[in-house]
Amino acid sequence: MALGYVRPARPEDAGEIARIQLATWRVAYRRILPRHVLDNLDEAFLARRWSAAVLEPPSGAHRVLVAVEQAEQSYLVGFAASGPADGEALAPGEPADALGPDVAAVTDLLVEPRWGRRGHGSRLLAATVDLWREDGLSRAVAWAFDGDEATRKFLTSTGWEPDGAARALDVDDMLVPQVRLHVAVPTEKVPTE
């Protein structure tokens, strides 16, 4: 287990968050998404979006957290973004009120591959769950690419399970299937290592 911690993202973290997102997507999704799509992602554009997410979240319950690896130097190695579920969390054809006001949605939970399997994903998820509990959210959902075994295995190992919802994202005229997972938010804090 690595020495590390999770903290709220700061505006100056936006560039590193974008870099981590690109590096992770280009490794984790190289067999899922078209190569030219991954190659053409604009890091500066993503950094501006992450800056806005940190500085101007839609609500106080929308948060971006970062994982920090501690060594001789500290490194940002991953991040998580979540908030109350909205239309993006719905399955096709699902009514707007299907998930309810007490449901959180994970939009991103990424750890740069070279820093994987060191506890950062678990710390990010635990910190996120603690915040959901504080916000009175009782359930959470997350979409994962059907072909993303690592994310699905990580989430199911922590109690998440498929809820039967599926969709396909149109990525440059290629349909990429996703499945939705869900979990009940524990009413009490679960001790972590």
Side-chain angles (χ1 to χ4, degrees):
M1 181 81 53
L3 291 176
Y5 61 92
V6 171
R7 64 166 171 77
R10 302 174 186 139
E12 62 268 20
D13 296 331
E16 268 302 281
I17 293 170
R19 186 197 61 74
I20 291 166
Q21 182 178 18
L22 278 180
T24 304
W25 280 20
R26 287 177 175 157
V27 170
Y29 302 152
R30 71 182 180 273
R31 290 185 177 90
I32 297 171
L33 299 175
R35 182 182 176 123
H36 69 275
V37 170
L38 293 171
D39 288 345
N40 291 323
L41 291 170
D42 181 9
E43 189 170 334
F45 170 78
L46 292 174
R48 287 190 300 275
R49 292 196 60 181
W50 285 115
S51 180
V54 171
L55 288 169
E56 303 165 6
S59 77
H62 286 83
R63 297 184 178 93
V64 180
L65 302 176
V66 294
V68 179
E69 167 99 5
Q70 290 181 286
E72 290 180 23
Q73 292 182 292
S74 293
Y75 304 93
L76 257 57
V77 298
F79 67 96
S82 71
D86 60 14
E88 295 295 316
L90 296 171
E94 211 168 27
D97 61 352
L99 294 177
D102 64 333
V103 178
V106 175
T107 55
D108 289 281
L109 177 60
L110 298 173
V111 174
E112 191 174 356
R114 65 186 171 135
W115 299 103
R117 306 199 55 79
R118 298 167 69 90
H120 298 298
S122 296
R123 280 190 287 279
L124 281 165
L125 187 56
T128 300
V129 169
D130 289 344
L131 293 170
W132 294 338
R133 189 179 311 101
E134 289 175 18
D135 292 334
L137 301 169
S138 63
R139 289 187 319 119
V141 295
W143 287 99
F145 289 115
D146 194 41
D148 183 0
E149 291 294 323
T151 297
R152 291 175 57 211
K153 184 177 179 180
F154 171 70
L155 288 174
T156 57
S157 76
T158 62
W160 294 66
E161 55 189 28
D163 69 1
R167 67 183 182 188
L169 297 182
D170 184 348
V171 181
D172 201 30
D173 292 330
M174 178 180 156
L175 293 178
V176 184
Q178 290 187 310
V179 295
R180 190 173 65 194
L181 295 98
H182 72 125
V183 71
V185 175
T187 56
E188 295 187 16
K189 187 173 181 170
V190 178
T192 57
E193 297 178 44

